[in-house]
Amino acid sequence: MKTGPVKLAVALLLAGATTGCSGSVPNACPAIAWFNSLTVSLDGAVGQVSLVEFCAESVCSVRADGPVRDPATSVSPGAVPAPATTLAVTAAPAPPGRPYSPFTVARVDDRTWQVSLMMQSPTTATIRAYSADGNVLARREVELRWTRVGGSEACGGPETAGPVRLVL
């Protein structure tokens, strides 16, 4: 009887087709990067403030008009390589006067500043407000509590904290 191999083949096909139907398939995480955000609210003589700085984990923010990603690598110039070769990658220097930081700060209005944090949610931070001549107008150490506003528990996603009040 030659039905043995046919039954075995059908059984294997059915087993393969139903694999994963038990609910044990791992979740796919579609987001590969995101920014967390923190709002800083100023009280007092806000007209004197020219810059708000956010520092955490020994790193301080750059202005929002600075680099928003790490300019660590760039593709070397030249012709497109043959399919069997690889592009050479070399280090690219940060723009002069603008060091890299995963934190950026942007003015929303006279009293509100928005901090963007590249996939980081530090628990403590220092926030400073500076005048145009570089004097510190206010400084505050804060503990931050983050709330996820997107993504999932399994995959992570964007979070928000604040607002943090800074009195001048």
Side-chain angles (χ1 to χ4, degrees), residues 1 17 26 31 36 69 71 81 90 102 120 133 142 144 153 158 163:
M1 300 195 161
N36 295 334
R69 64 177 181 80
T90 57
Q120 294 187 16
D133 60 3
V142 295
L144 301 170
E153 184 71 32

Side-chain angles (χ1 to χ4, degrees), residues 113-138:
W113 292 70
Q114 191 71 36
V115 181
S116 293
L117 302 91
M118 187 183 304
M119 295 180 63
Q120 294 187 16
S121 45
T123 56
T124 60
T126 302
I127 299 173
R128 293 181 192 90
Y130 291 92
S131 64
D133 60 3
N135 289 321
V136 176
L137 300 171

Side-chain angles (χ1 to χ4, degrees), residues 74-161:
S74 64
V75 177
S76 296
V80 176
T85 63
T86 306
L87 288 174
V89 177
T90 57
R98 292 199 175 155
Y100 168 73
S101 173
F103 314 131
T104 59
V105 180
R107 180 190 309 244
V108 176
D109 58 40
D110 286 344
R111 296 196 176 277
T112 310
W113 292 70
Q114 191 71 36
V115 181
S116 293
L117 302 91
M118 187 183 304
M119 295 180 63
Q120 294 187 16
S121 45
T123 56
T124 60
T126 302
I127 299 173
R128 293 181 192 90
Y130 291 92
S131 64
D133 60 3
N135 289 321
V136 176
L137 300 171
R139 178 182 187 274
R140 180 173 176 201
E141 302 283 330
V142 295
E143 288 191 28
L144 301 170
R145 290 190 177 94
W146 296 92
T147 303
R148 191 176 49 255
V149 293
S152 68
E153 184 71 32
C155 296
E159 297 176 308
T160 188

Side-chain angles (χ1 to χ4, degrees), residues 38-42 127 140 142-144 161-166:
L38 167 73
T39 301
V40 177
S41 177
L42 303 178
I127 299 173
R140 180 173 176 201
V142 295
E143 288 191 28
L144 301 170
V164 171
R165 186 173 170 229
L166 187 61

